[in-house]
Amino acid sequence: DGGITQSPKYLFRKEGQNVTLSCEQNLNHDAMYWYRQDPGQGLRLIYYSQIVNDFQKGDIAEGYSVSREKKESFPLTVTSAQKNPTAFYLCATKQAVQTYEQYFGPGTRLTVT
Amino acid sequence: GQQVMQIPQYQHVQEGEDFTTYCNSSTTLSNIQWYKQRPGGHPVFLIQLVKSGEVKKQKRLTFQFGEAKKNSSLHITATQTTDVGTYFCAGLAGNKLTFGGGTRVLVKP
């Protein structure tokens, strides 16, 4: 945090609906990431972007889509194709490609019923 | 693909005792990072180790990177209730950062 905003903190949706999670940063960081965290598990990378208008699939990209039209923003859409979307979603940023430390936002807890 | 395993998954510690959590990678790493996530919170960066055999300390926390750069450990001395949370290691190989499953630490007062 300290410059990474994720909203809302809790989100509820019905099955079959697409939902978009927002991630905004004012750190002027180049790279942005989306992770999914399930109970008792680590962080799994969904998508990442190192520069504007470019993004790459992570390990579990199926059922998700992203865009990076602005440096500050990296929204994640959870589509109806995602089989098990209920999870805690974390956005992270990194200052530059060659730096290492990632800064995490507060997260959005998505529940789909 | 690259895998990072952490053991134990859960660690119940009596306040004042020491404990160690371990991180093992299936591939040689460029560096390893450690993060702490408090209950209900988000991961916060603790430290990064880059050199083979490197040891770094932060107050009661001691981090070590193995000689082969495939494993790491976090040792906490005199555990306090503020140490509660999940500790994640994350290994960097190439440009891919892979997180371990975490060690969830519970402290008994």
Side-chain angles (χ1 to χ4, degrees), chain A residues 35 42-45 102 104, chain B residues 2-6 33 35 43 88-91 97-102:
Chain A
Y35 291 92
L43 307 176
R44 292 185 290 168
L45 182 63
Q102 291 193 14
F104 284 84
Chain B
Q2 180 188 353
Q3 290 187 326
V4 175
M5 307 294 292
Q6 278 186 260
Q33 301 168 28
Y35 292 78
F88 292 99
C89 65
L97 186 70
T98 302
F99 281 81

Side-chain angles (χ1 to χ4, degrees), chain B:
Chain B
Q2 180 188 353
Q3 290 187 326
V4 175
M5 307 294 292
Q6 278 186 260
I7 52 171
Q9 188 175 358
Y10 296 93
Q11 180 79 56
H12 292 81
V13 189
Q14 190 73 42
E15 190 174 12
E17 290 185 343
D18 303 352
F19 76 90
T20 303
T21 176
Y22 300 91
C23 178
N24 296 292
S25 170
S26 59
T27 59
T28 301
L29 303 170
S30 303
N31 71 45
I32 195 149
Q33 301 168 28
W34 285 88
Y35 292 78
K36 177 182 178 180
Q37 183 176 23
R38 294 184 184 277
H42 56 276
V44 174
F45 176 83
L46 293 177
I47 208 160
Q48 171 186 285
L49 303 169
V50 179
K51 299 176 183 176
S52 170
E54 188 172 13
V55 177
K56 286 187 177 181
K57 291 190 176 184
Q58 286 182 350
K59 298 182 180 178
R60 295 178 294 102
L61 278 60
T62 301
F63 302 85
Q64 186 167 4
F65 201 7
E67 293 291 340
K69 301 184 74 173
K70 294 183 72 173
N71 55 71
S72 180
S73 64
L74 161 58
H75 181 79
I76 299 182
T77 59
T79 304
Q80 299 177 359
T81 54
T82 54
D83 295 324
V84 165
T86 302
Y87 294 82
F88 292 99
C89 65
L92 183 69
N95 64 352
K96 184 176 172 63
L97 186 70
T98 302
F99 281 81
T103 293
R104 184 175 175 186
V105 176
L106 304 169
V107 179
K108 295 177 282 187

Side-chain angles (χ1 to χ4, degrees), chain A residues 3-108:
Chain A
I4 303 172
T5 304
Q6 289 188 247
S7 60
K9 189 169 184 178
Y10 298 95
L11 191 54
F12 298 88
R13 280 293 183 271
K14 294 290 187 184
E15 196 174 311
Q17 294 179 334
N18 291 356
V19 58
T20 297
L21 311 183
S22 75
C23 178
E24 303 282 332
Q25 56 111 349
N26 62 5
L27 301 170
N28 199 33
H29 285 182
D30 290 333
M32 298 186 73
Y33 304 80
W34 274 106
Y35 291 92
R36 170 184 173 135
Q37 185 174 33
D38 294 284
Q41 296 192 32
L43 307 176
R44 292 185 290 168
L45 182 63
I46 305 172
Y47 268 99
Y48 65 99
S49 168
Q50 295 182 334
I51 55 173
V52 176
N53 291 322
D54 185 57
F55 48 84
Q56 307 295 328
K57 291 183 179 180
D59 298 320
I60 54 166
E62 186 175 349
Y64 299 98
S65 66
V66 293
S67 64
R68 185 89 187 274
E69 297 177 1
K70 300 185 299 181
K71 188 174 185 178
E72 302 79 19
S73 180
F74 191 41
L76 173 74
T77 297
V78 184
T79 75
S80 56
Q82 168 52 233
K83 300 298 182 197
N84 187 18
T86 295
F88 187 43
Y89 290 88
L90 287 157
C91 175
T93 70
K94 192 158 69 87
Q95 185 173 6
V97 173
Q98 63 271 28
T99 62
Y100 301 128
E101 178 181 348
Q102 291 193 14
Y103 296 80
F104 284 84
T108 292

